[in-house]
Amino acid sequence: MLFDALRRDGFAFVTADVMQPLLQSCGDLSDWKAFADSWSMLGPDPYLAATGRLRRRRHATYRATPHGDVQAAPHQPHYQALRYNTLQGDIERWFEPIDAAIASGTSLRTILAFCNTFFSSLAPEVPQWHVEVHQFRIEASIDAAGEPTPEGSHRDGVDFVLVLLIDRHNIASGTTTIHTPGGTPLGDFTLTHPFDAALLHDPRVFHGVTAVTPLVPGEPAHRDVLVVTFRANAAGA
């Protein structure tokens, strides 16, 4: 069972044939095409300097009551402490907000509902969740591989993480690797089909993704994922 796997191992790889029905048990995916197409509207990541053109993203923040409502929060920066992100830690990073229609659309709301139910069941003591949603497009070219995790193997500094594959086009590799905090490998897998997913208990495991390269040189190549993080908040924070 997925619940037991995450509690036992600190991570789980969920194939699309399992993940999609789990999401649909929590809501509607009727706008999925528009949701997936919105990755083509992402702006460049301005914090990656010379390599920023290879990573595009948008960001949104929510607050959630366990097993209850998930509400949009005002647009705000994404912040990670340096101990979690040695490349871009200890700075407030402002990204373009997720398009309003996508942020309030049925697919994203269904994904958030699943996360809230599942993660709240794993941590029943949490009174309130701080939720962040990231749309990522990693691009690759014949001249430069795309780096899904330029900071290397890392933790996000949250409680739980969902990584959901939206699309991958003309790319090789992009393998997710899981390690203990001491560096011992725990597993690896590749998100290959839309709805393939990784679920992580962030305090227990480190994760990274290998670089992606084009299968056919000279043609567009990208890896699109949605990352959702849940971090416990004190009540009223």
Side-chain angles (χ1 to χ4, degrees), residues 5-180:
L6 204 65
R7 291 189 67 180
R8 181 185 66 246
D9 302 326
F11 74 97
F13 168 50
V14 191
T15 55
D17 61 315
V18 174
M19 192 68 204
Q20 186 173 354
L22 285 173
L23 293 175
Q24 290 172 318
S25 71
C26 294
D28 192 348
L29 297 172
S30 59
D31 70 344
W32 182 264
K33 185 180 186 305
F35 178 66
D37 287 348
S38 71
W39 264 255
S40 296
M41 301 187 298
L42 306 187
D45 183 338
Y47 296 93
L48 282 181
T51 61
R53 64 187 178 84
L54 298 181
R55 181 157 86 170
R56 300 180 179 276
R57 67 192 293 177
R58 286 182 183 254
H59 172 247
T61 306
Y62 299 79
R63 61 176 69 92
T65 303
H67 298 288
D69 292 336
V70 180
Q71 298 180 340
H75 188 54
Q76 56 196 267
H78 175 54
Y79 178 87
Q80 291 175 295
L82 191 63
R83 68 181 181 275
Y84 295 119
N85 188 330
T86 56
L87 183 64
Q88 298 172 321
D90 284 356
I91 60 173
E92 292 187 344
R93 288 182 285 163
W94 287 91
F95 301 108
E96 291 184 21
I98 292 177
D99 180 80
I102 299 302
S104 61
T106 57
S107 290
L108 186 50
R109 287 292 179 176
T110 292
I111 293 165
L112 292 173
F114 164 79
C115 290
N116 192 17
T117 298
F118 186 70
F119 296 149
S120 294
S121 296
L122 287 162
E125 75 285 357
V126 171
Q128 187 181 83
W129 294 109
H130 173 80
V131 181
E132 295 193 46
V133 177
H134 307 260
Q135 292 179 294
F136 286 103
R137 168 167 285 188
I138 306 302
E139 298 173 332
S141 72
I142 190 172
D143 300 316
E147 296 284 352
T149 54
E151 66 272 39
S153 184
H154 66 285
R155 289 168 50 207
D156 287 339
V158 297
D159 291 286
F160 297 103
V161 182
L162 165 73
V163 182
L164 183 70
L165 184 71
I166 306 302
D167 182 42
R168 55 183 287 152
H169 177 73
N170 188 36
I171 59 167
S173 194
T175 298
T176 299
T177 59
I178 308 294
H179 303 82
T180 67

